Amino acid sequence: MSDLQQNNLNFFNTEQNKYIYYIMGLSLAAIGFTVAYTKDLNILSFTQIPLFMAVLSWCFSIICGTEFIKYKQSTLHDQNDIFNMQNGNRDKITKLEKSKGLTDAEITKLIINNIELKGEKMSKYGSYTKILLILGCGLFICWRLIEMIINTI
């Protein structure tokens, strides 16, 4: 792999990680804001169900973000194994103990299949992270509207 390709890959990975971390940070900030905003609420009521669901949605957004990062790191290790295979550094392959007795082409095919499966999971978790953040914001707005309507009646 040329230096330009490596730089582009590193840039893409860094930007993608920043995006997920940003969404996770927004979810954490939303939970903190909600806790601070509702600290004076003394009575639990059914009107707070959307608020609870919003916080739950933000929590799941954070969980999906961490799963995305976990699969991302694992995929980077697998890609490194492929680069080692291409450069003839078979000794540096991390998954080699699981693939003893296989040819280089078979090992490469197994690693590529593994990367594709992880890529599908990463795509789902990345999407869920964003969707759950937006869902939580919508539920928070619904809760606030319900509270405003009840206070005006």
Side-chain angles (χ1 to χ4, degrees):
M1 176 181 284
S2 72
D3 287 338
L4 180 60
Q5 289 173 326
Q6 185 65 38
N7 288 340
N8 285 339
L9 183 62
N10 288 340
F11 176 77
F12 175 72
N13 288 330
T14 302
E15 292 302 310
Q16 196 173 28
N17 284 344
K18 284 181 187 178
Y19 177 72
I20 293 296
Y21 283 127
Y22 179 72
I23 292 175
M24 290 170 60
L26 286 174
S27 294
L28 280 171
I31 292 170
F33 174 78
T34 301
V35 169
Y37 189 77
T38 59
K39 68 181 178 183
D40 295 331
L41 292 178
N42 296 327
I43 301 170
L44 292 176
S45 67
F46 287 109
T47 61
Q48 294 172 351
I49 290 174
L51 181 64
F52 171 75
M53 290 173 54
V55 171
L56 201 61
S57 177
W58 292 322
C59 288
F60 282 125
S61 175
I62 294 167
I63 291 168
C64 287
T66 56
E67 287 297 309
F68 174 88
I69 292 167
K70 179 180 81 172
Y71 281 109
K72 176 77 175 241
Q73 294 300 321
S74 180
T75 300
L76 290 175
H77 288 290
D78 289 343
Q79 288 174 346
N80 192 37
D81 285 345
I82 289 178
F83 297 141
N84 285 328
M85 288 289 295
Q86 290 173 346
N87 293 330
N89 297 329
R90 189 179 170 107
D91 298 336
K92 294 182 179 181
I93 297 173
T94 57
K95 306 250 188 284
L96 189 59
E97 58 274 355
K98 294 180 182 178
S99 58
K100 290 183 179 173
L102 298 176
T103 65
D104 289 353
E106 291 171 330
I107 293 171
T108 303
K109 185 177 179 182
L110 287 173
I111 294 171
I112 289 173
N113 288 340
N114 198 16
I115 289 172
E116 288 173 356
L117 290 173
K118 289 176 186 176
E120 291 172 10
K121 290 181 181 180
M122 281 175 30
S123 177
K124 288 179 186 176
Y125 282 124
S127 296
Y128 292 157
T129 302
K130 182 175 72 170
I131 290 167
L132 289 168
L133 171 68
I134 294 169
L135 177 65
C137 292
L139 288 167
F140 182 83
I141 292 169
C142 288
W143 168 76
R144 188 64 189 121
L145 289 173
I146 291 169
E147 290 289 315
M148 290 169 58
I149 291 169
I150 289 174
N151 288 338
T152 57
I153 293 178

